[in-house]
Amino acid sequence: MARNIVFYWCPVCNSVVELVENGGHSLVCCGQPMERLKVKEKGEGSEYHLPSLKHRDGLLYVNVGSKPHPQSEDHHIKFIVFVTKQTVRRSDIKSNSMATAVYTDKDHGDVYAYCSTHGLWKTSF
Ligand SMILES: [Fe+2]
């Protein structure tokens, strides 16, 4: 089982933060509370956003979506995060780049993909 990870978003400036340790207080950005990002695991748009996983030769290959996601400046997958019980590994994805990542595959975990327009998606294995 992967460790629990939570992401927050600022509706004013679009900043996204990852909460490492919850001290029990709310996060504030641009003078107002940040919103906890909801995690989607299915539903409309999943074919473009759900992380698709392939295991081969001890590596985990992540490809976001079964169909290619747009990677334009204003709408793209911004990062992929692989979370296990012990580790959190993030790959930043630039616009005009493929929404893919490769990690070593020694543990089960959760793989998140964040779209600048459609939010946070997760696949577990
Ligand atoms: Fe999207």
Side-chain angles (χ1 to χ4, degrees):
M1 177 140 187
R3 67 185 283 180
N4 192 24
I5 190 169
V6 181
F7 295 91
Y8 285 84
W9 169 72
C10 174
V12 176
C13 71
N14 285 319
S15 292
V16 175
V17 300
E18 172 189 324
L19 185 61
V20 176
E21 183 76 32
N22 189 343
H25 295 278
S26 61
L27 300 178
V28 175
C29 186
C30 296
Q32 59 182 277
M34 298 186 84
E35 296 178 11
R36 182 176 175 162
L37 284 174
K38 292 179 183 155
V39 179
K40 302 173 207 170
E41 297 185 58
K42 58 184 177 183
E44 188 177 344
S46 62
E47 70 271 29
Y48 295 102
H49 298 94
L50 266 186
S52 169
L53 313 178
K54 286 187 181 160
H55 304 265
R56 194 175 68 225
D57 301 328
L59 295 176
L60 173 66
Y61 292 84
V62 179
N63 189 27
V64 177
S66 57
K67 295 181 178 177
H69 186 277
Q71 288 297 97
S72 63
E73 186 65 35
D74 61 344
H75 179 199
H76 65 281
I77 301 298
K78 297 190 90 167
F79 60 79
I80 297 168
V81 179
F82 177 36
V83 181
T84 69
K85 195 174 189 179
Q86 301 285 332
T87 64
V88 178
R89 289 170 269 181
R90 188 182 73 246
S91 300
D92 293 324
I93 310 291
K94 296 187 181 319
S95 60
N96 299 315
S97 298
M98 298 280 290
T100 61
V102 181
Y103 304 99
T104 54
D105 176 15
K106 294 181 179 172
D107 201 356
H108 293 278
D110 299 323
V111 179
Y112 296 85
Y114 178 70
C115 168
S116 59
T117 302
H118 300 104
L120 190 63
W121 299 74
K122 180 178 89 170
T123 299
S124 300
F125 69 97

